Amino acid sequence: MADAIPTADHGATSSPTGPKSLQCQVVTPEKTAFAKTVDFVALPLYDGELGVLPGRAPLLGRLGFGELRIKTGDAVESYFVDGGFAQVRDDVVTVLTSRAVPAAKIEMNGTAALLDEAQKVRAATEAEAEEKSRNVARLRAMMHVSRKA
């Protein structure tokens, strides 16, 4: 088998049979949460989950809140992301999100208490009802991600 050859200037590698890895970077307003070389990325898009492998066609997508998974070899890491945008281009996956929390750092009891409080909120207007629904769904997604950790 031929040696891996660097592609573009993003650090992804390829061989004559095609790319073998992706660069995945997750950026929040405060910092770069992580930048890693991975084999696979699962993105929680607004309208469903999208799996990204090396060689994927370019894409720009709106993120919902949910689980971002990255796989390197047999290791899988999960993060809760709170909406944002994702770009896939030249074997680089860039995620811009307001929050990225490793699944292992989500405090289950605290999140359950917040969910209980959010469900008790009374909504007087349609806008308040939509906000309550979003908050409840976000907290449920967070709990779902933490259970997998």
Side-chain angles (χ1 to χ4, degrees):
M1 181 169 177
D3 291 336
I5 308 162
T7 61
D9 31 31
H10 301 291
T13 59
S14 68
S15 70
T17 58
K20 299 294 181 194
S21 64
L22 299 163
Q23 286 298 116
C24 181
Q25 49 194 12
V26 175
V27 181
T28 68
E30 293 82 32
K31 64 180 181 174
T32 298
F34 69 83
K36 299 180 179 185
T37 301
V38 300
D39 298 328
F40 173 79
V41 179
L43 298 167
L45 293 183
Y46 184 72
D47 56 353
E49 185 173 87
L50 173 75
V52 179
L53 289 167
R56 172 76 168 83
L59 164 89
L60 183 61
R62 179 178 170 198
L63 294 172
F65 39 82
E67 182 182 23
L68 167 82
R69 287 187 317 280
I70 59 173
K71 183 176 181 191
T72 307
D74 291 334
V76 177
E77 294 178 47
S78 292
Y79 296 82
F80 172 78
V81 293
D82 198 357
F85 294 91
Q87 178 186 38
V88 179
R89 184 174 171 210
D90 297 330
D91 291 325
V92 177
V93 179
T94 304
V95 173
L96 305 174
T97 183
S98 61
R99 183 168 50 157
V101 182
K105 291 191 177 185
I106 297 172
E107 212 288 312
M108 185 65 128
N109 292 336
T111 304
L114 290 172
L115 176 59
D116 189 45
E117 288 176 29
Q119 290 173 324
K120 290 178 183 175
V121 169
R122 295 208 182 262
T125 66
E126 189 174 321
E128 289 174 349
E130 287 177 15
E131 183 177 342
K132 174 184 175 177
S133 178
R134 256 191 323 274
N135 286 337
V136 167
R138 179 180 291 113
L139 289 163
R140 283 184 177 153
M142 213 170 176
M143 288 182 64
H144 177 75
V145 171
S146 72
R147 283 189 195 115
K148 291 183 165 189

